[in-house]
Every structure is written in C-alpha cells, then in structure tokens.
Amino acid sequence: MPFVENQSAKIYWDEQGSGEPLLLVMGLSYPSYMWHRSRPVLAQTYRTIALDNRGVGQSDVPPGVYSIALMASDAAAVLDAAKVQSAHVFGVSMGGMIAQEFALQYPKRVRSLILGCTAAGGPHAVQAEPKVLEILMRRGMTPEEAKEAIIPFIYDSGTPRERIDEDMAIRMKWYPTAQGYTANYKGLWAGRRTGVSSK
C-alpha cells in the first residue's frame, strides 16, 4: 500500500488507470474508496490518483485541527510521491474546498479544476440548513444513526435503496474515529468562515 509522510501524518494514496493524471479528493470524513462508482469510468481515460484525507480511511489521525490548507499540502505530497508535476484536480464537497486551496497554493500544478457540490467558504457562503448542520455535528448519535440521518441530504429521493446500502457498507467499513471526524469538521468550518486563502 502506498503512503507518503507529510507534516506529521502518513497519508494513504493509490492510483488506477493510465493517461493524464487526475487527482481525486473526497469530502468530509469519506475515504477514497467512495469514488468506487465513478473511478472505474475515469480510469479508462485518466491515471486516477486518490488519497484518504488525514483522519480518514487508512491515513493517520494526528491530534489537532486539520485546516483546508494543511489538507491541500497533503494532496501536493501525494502528487510528489506519484512523481506527478501537474494534474487535473477533482474535489467534491470538502474535497472541493481542498481542491480550490490546492489551486491557490500550487497553481502551476493544476491542469484543470473540477468542483462538485462545494463552496469557496468565506463570509458570503451560503450555509447549510440548520438540520444538516445538526446532523454533521453528530451530537448524541451512534455511527449508524449518523449514517441514516444524512442520507436524505446526499441522495436523491429516487435513488434505489440497494445502491445507497452499497455505498454505506463502504462508508461504515472506513468510518472515521471521533478524533479524525472532529479534526476534519473543525477544519472545514474554519475554512467556511474564512474562505480559501488569498495566496
């Protein structure tokens, strides 16, 4: 299994496919395995490189808050380990914030930027509705309860339950520790308050 060390954490990454490099950055507390539906299609054309953000999946869970800038530096370390100078960068949700920060910190390393269901943060960002924020805070919820509570907000009502269950089986296999989740969550909301950096 490939890992790279960056700022006191061992970061898991892997690659599939061939072609121009495409860096895949997943959202809040989700492992890179959650690309399982789209990655096989992307890997037919691209050399896909995916990482587990720190605190998630097989990456280390160091103490502290994981800022968006810190996680962007993890992504850069992964590209270094893969011996990739520049890549297309695809981020979803919190991964989209990381991708934007990556583009600001390392503009020459970005061939294109693909953003899904994300925001730039900052004082003018549209906040999620209170019910979503309550679920994301997970106060008093077991992992199973938290998993079920978020489903209506991340899946269309017409999504077959068996497809959701397939996704959630992966989710639960790599469910983050409380420390890892909190460190990601606090970093995400710090980024939403301040926006991505202005470097």
Short mmCIF file of all heavy atoms in Angstrom, two decimals, residues 121-149:
data_model
loop_
_atom_site.label_atom_id
_atom_site.label_comp_id
_atom_site.label_asym_id
_atom_site.label_seq_id
_atom_site.Cartn_x
_atom_site.Cartn_y
_atom_site.Cartn_z
N GLY A 121 -16.32 28.98 0.66
CA GLY A 121 -16.30 29.43 2.05
C GLY A 121 -16.35 30.94 2.12
O GLY A 121 -16.72 31.63 1.17
N GLY A 122 -15.95 31.47 3.26
CA GLY A 122 -15.94 32.91 3.45
C GLY A 122 -17.26 33.43 3.99
O GLY A 122 -18.25 32.70 4.11
N PRO A 123 -17.30 34.71 4.31
CA PRO A 123 -18.48 35.29 4.98
C PRO A 123 -19.73 35.32 4.12
O PRO A 123 -20.84 35.43 4.65
CB PRO A 123 -18.02 36.71 5.34
CG PRO A 123 -16.90 37.00 4.39
CD PRO A 123 -16.23 35.69 4.14
N HIS A 124 -19.60 35.22 2.80
CA HIS A 124 -20.78 35.28 1.94
C HIS A 124 -21.26 33.91 1.47
O HIS A 124 -22.18 33.81 0.66
CB HIS A 124 -20.50 36.18 0.73
CG HIS A 124 -20.10 37.58 1.13
ND1 HIS A 124 -20.96 38.44 1.76
CD2 HIS A 124 -18.91 38.23 1.01
CE1 HIS A 124 -20.33 39.58 2.01
NE2 HIS A 124 -19.08 39.48 1.57
N ALA A 125 -20.62 32.85 1.96
CA ALA A 125 -21.01 31.50 1.57
C ALA A 125 -22.40 31.18 2.10
O ALA A 125 -22.78 31.61 3.19
CB ALA A 125 -20.01 30.49 2.10
N VAL A 126 -23.16 30.44 1.32
CA VAL A 126 -24.50 30.01 1.76
C VAL A 126 -24.32 28.83 2.70
O VAL A 126 -23.71 27.82 2.35
CB VAL A 126 -25.37 29.61 0.55
CG1 VAL A 126 -26.71 29.07 1.01
CG2 VAL A 126 -25.54 30.79 -0.39
N GLN A 127 -24.81 28.98 3.92
CA GLN A 127 -24.68 27.91 4.91
C GLN A 127 -25.73 26.83 4.67
O GLN A 127 -26.81 27.10 4.17
CB GLN A 127 -24.88 28.49 6.32
CG GLN A 127 -23.80 29.47 6.73
CD GLN A 127 -22.44 28.81 6.91
OE1 GLN A 127 -22.34 27.68 7.37
NE2 GLN A 127 -21.39 29.51 6.53
N ALA A 128 -25.39 25.62 5.06
CA ALA A 128 -26.36 24.53 5.02
C ALA A 128 -27.49 24.83 5.99
O ALA A 128 -27.32 25.58 6.95
CB ALA A 128 -25.67 23.23 5.39
N GLU A 129 -28.64 24.22 5.73
CA GLU A 129 -29.76 24.44 6.63
C GLU A 129 -29.46 23.88 8.02
O GLU A 129 -28.64 22.96 8.17
CB GLU A 129 -31.04 23.85 6.05
CG GLU A 129 -30.98 22.37 5.75
CD GLU A 129 -32.24 21.89 5.03
OE1 GLU A 129 -32.26 21.93 3.80
OE2 GLU A 129 -33.18 21.49 5.73
N PRO A 130 -30.09 24.43 9.07
CA PRO A 130 -29.77 24.03 10.44
C PRO A 130 -29.85 22.53 10.70
O PRO A 130 -29.02 21.97 11.43
CB PRO A 130 -30.81 24.79 11.28
CG PRO A 130 -31.13 25.99 10.46
CD PRO A 130 -31.05 25.54 9.03
N LYS A 131 -30.81 21.85 10.09
CA LYS A 131 -30.94 20.41 10.30
C LYS A 131 -29.69 19.67 9.82
O LYS A 131 -29.21 18.72 10.46
CB LYS A 131 -32.18 19.89 9.58
CG LYS A 131 -32.42 18.39 9.69
CD LYS A 131 -32.72 17.98 11.11
CE LYS A 131 -33.07 16.50 11.18
NZ LYS A 131 -33.14 16.02 12.56
N VAL A 132 -29.15 20.09 8.69
CA VAL A 132 -27.94 19.46 8.16
C VAL A 132 -26.76 19.70 9.10
O VAL A 132 -25.99 18.79 9.41
CB VAL A 132 -27.62 19.96 6.74
CG1 VAL A 132 -26.30 19.38 6.24
CG2 VAL A 132 -28.74 19.63 5.78
N LEU A 133 -26.63 20.94 9.56
CA LEU A 133 -25.53 21.26 10.48
C LEU A 133 -25.63 20.43 11.76
O LEU A 133 -24.62 19.95 12.28
CB LEU A 133 -25.54 22.76 10.82
CG LEU A 133 -25.31 23.71 9.65
CD1 LEU A 133 -25.41 25.15 10.10
CD2 LEU A 133 -23.96 23.45 9.00
N GLU A 134 -26.84 20.25 12.24
CA GLU A 134 -27.06 19.44 13.44
C GLU A 134 -26.61 17.99 13.21
O GLU A 134 -25.95 17.39 14.06
CB GLU A 134 -28.55 19.48 13.81
CG GLU A 134 -28.91 18.74 15.08
CD GLU A 134 -30.40 18.80 15.36
OE1 GLU A 134 -31.05 19.82 15.04
OE2 GLU A 134 -30.92 17.81 15.89
N ILE A 135 -26.94 17.46 12.05
CA ILE A 135 -26.54 16.09 11.72
C ILE A 135 -25.03 16.00 11.58
O ILE A 135 -24.40 15.06 12.07
CB ILE A 135 -27.25 15.61 10.43
CG1 ILE A 135 -28.74 15.44 10.70
CG2 ILE A 135 -26.65 14.32 9.92
CD1 ILE A 135 -29.59 15.27 9.46
N LEU A 136 -24.43 16.99 10.93
CA LEU A 136 -22.97 16.97 10.76
C LEU A 136 -22.23 17.05 12.09
O LEU A 136 -21.13 16.52 12.21
CB LEU A 136 -22.53 18.11 9.84
CG LEU A 136 -22.90 17.97 8.36
CD1 LEU A 136 -22.51 19.21 7.60
CD2 LEU A 136 -22.23 16.74 7.75
N MET A 137 -22.83 17.68 13.08
CA MET A 137 -22.19 17.76 14.40
C MET A 137 -22.28 16.43 15.14
O MET A 137 -21.51 16.18 16.06
CB MET A 137 -22.79 18.88 15.22
CG MET A 137 -22.32 20.25 14.76
SD MET A 137 -22.81 21.57 15.85
CE MET A 137 -24.44 21.92 15.25
N ARG A 138 -23.23 15.58 14.79
CA ARG A 138 -23.36 14.21 15.32
C ARG A 138 -23.52 14.13 16.81
O ARG A 138 -23.16 13.13 17.43
CB ARG A 138 -22.14 13.38 14.93
CG ARG A 138 -21.96 13.20 13.47
CD ARG A 138 -20.80 12.31 13.21
NE ARG A 138 -20.70 11.99 11.80
CZ ARG A 138 -19.75 11.25 11.29
NH1 ARG A 138 -18.84 10.73 12.06
NH2 ARG A 138 -19.72 11.01 10.00
N ARG A 139 -24.05 15.14 17.44
CA ARG A 139 -24.19 15.11 18.89
C ARG A 139 -25.16 14.01 19.32
O ARG A 139 -26.31 14.00 18.90
CB ARG A 139 -24.68 16.47 19.40
CG ARG A 139 -23.62 17.54 19.26
CD ARG A 139 -24.03 18.81 19.96
NE ARG A 139 -23.04 19.84 19.74
CZ ARG A 139 -23.30 21.05 19.27
NH1 ARG A 139 -24.52 21.39 18.96
NH2 ARG A 139 -22.34 21.92 19.11
N GLY A 140 -24.68 13.12 20.16
CA GLY A 140 -25.54 12.08 20.72
C GLY A 140 -25.96 11.01 19.74
O GLY A 140 -26.86 10.22 20.04
N MET A 141 -25.33 10.93 18.56
CA MET A 141 -25.72 9.92 17.57
C MET A 141 -24.66 8.83 17.48
O MET A 141 -23.47 9.11 17.54
CB MET A 141 -25.89 10.55 16.18
CG MET A 141 -27.18 11.30 15.99
SD MET A 141 -27.51 11.66 14.24
CE MET A 141 -26.53 13.13 14.02
N THR A 142 -25.13 7.60 17.33
CA THR A 142 -24.22 6.49 17.03
C THR A 142 -23.80 6.61 15.57
O THR A 142 -24.47 7.31 14.78
CB THR A 142 -24.91 5.15 17.25
OG1 THR A 142 -25.96 5.01 16.28
CG2 THR A 142 -25.46 5.02 18.67
N PRO A 143 -22.74 5.92 15.16
CA PRO A 143 -22.37 5.93 13.74
C PRO A 143 -23.52 5.49 12.83
O PRO A 143 -23.74 6.08 11.77
CB PRO A 143 -21.19 4.96 13.67
CG PRO A 143 -20.56 5.06 15.01
CD PRO A 143 -21.71 5.23 15.97
N GLU A 144 -24.26 4.49 13.24
CA GLU A 144 -25.39 4.00 12.44
C GLU A 144 -26.47 5.07 12.31
O GLU A 144 -27.02 5.29 11.23
CB GLU A 144 -25.96 2.73 13.06
CG GLU A 144 -27.03 2.05 12.24
CD GLU A 144 -26.53 1.48 10.92
OE1 GLU A 144 -25.37 1.08 10.83
OE2 GLU A 144 -27.35 1.43 9.97
N GLU A 145 -26.77 5.76 13.41
CA GLU A 145 -27.77 6.83 13.37
C GLU A 145 -27.31 8.00 12.50
O GLU A 145 -28.08 8.55 11.72
CB GLU A 145 -28.06 7.32 14.79
CG GLU A 145 -28.84 6.32 15.63
CD GLU A 145 -28.86 6.68 17.11
OE1 GLU A 145 -27.99 7.46 17.56
OE2 GLU A 145 -29.76 6.17 17.82
N ALA A 146 -26.03 8.35 12.61
CA ALA A 146 -25.49 9.46 11.81
C ALA A 146 -25.53 9.10 10.33
O ALA A 146 -25.87 9.94 9.48
CB ALA A 146 -24.06 9.77 12.24
N LYS A 147 -25.20 7.86 10.01
CA LYS A 147 -25.23 7.40 8.61
C LYS A 147 -26.63 7.53 8.03
O LYS A 147 -26.82 8.05 6.93
CB LYS A 147 -24.77 5.94 8.55
CG LYS A 147 -24.86 5.31 7.18
CD LYS A 147 -24.83 3.81 7.26
CE LYS A 147 -26.21 3.28 7.61
NZ LYS A 147 -26.37 1.84 7.47
N GLU A 148 -27.63 7.08 8.76
CA GLU A 148 -29.01 7.14 8.27
C GLU A 148 -29.53 8.58 8.19
O GLU A 148 -30.25 8.93 7.27
CB GLU A 148 -29.94 6.30 9.16
CG GLU A 148 -29.78 4.81 9.00
CD GLU A 148 -30.09 4.32 7.59
OE1 GLU A 148 -31.09 4.79 7.00
OE2 GLU A 148 -29.34 3.48 7.07
N ALA A 149 -29.14 9.40 9.16
CA ALA A 149 -29.65 10.78 9.22
C ALA A 149 -29.22 11.61 8.02
O ALA A 149 -29.97 12.48 7.57
CB ALA A 149 -29.20 11.44 10.52
#
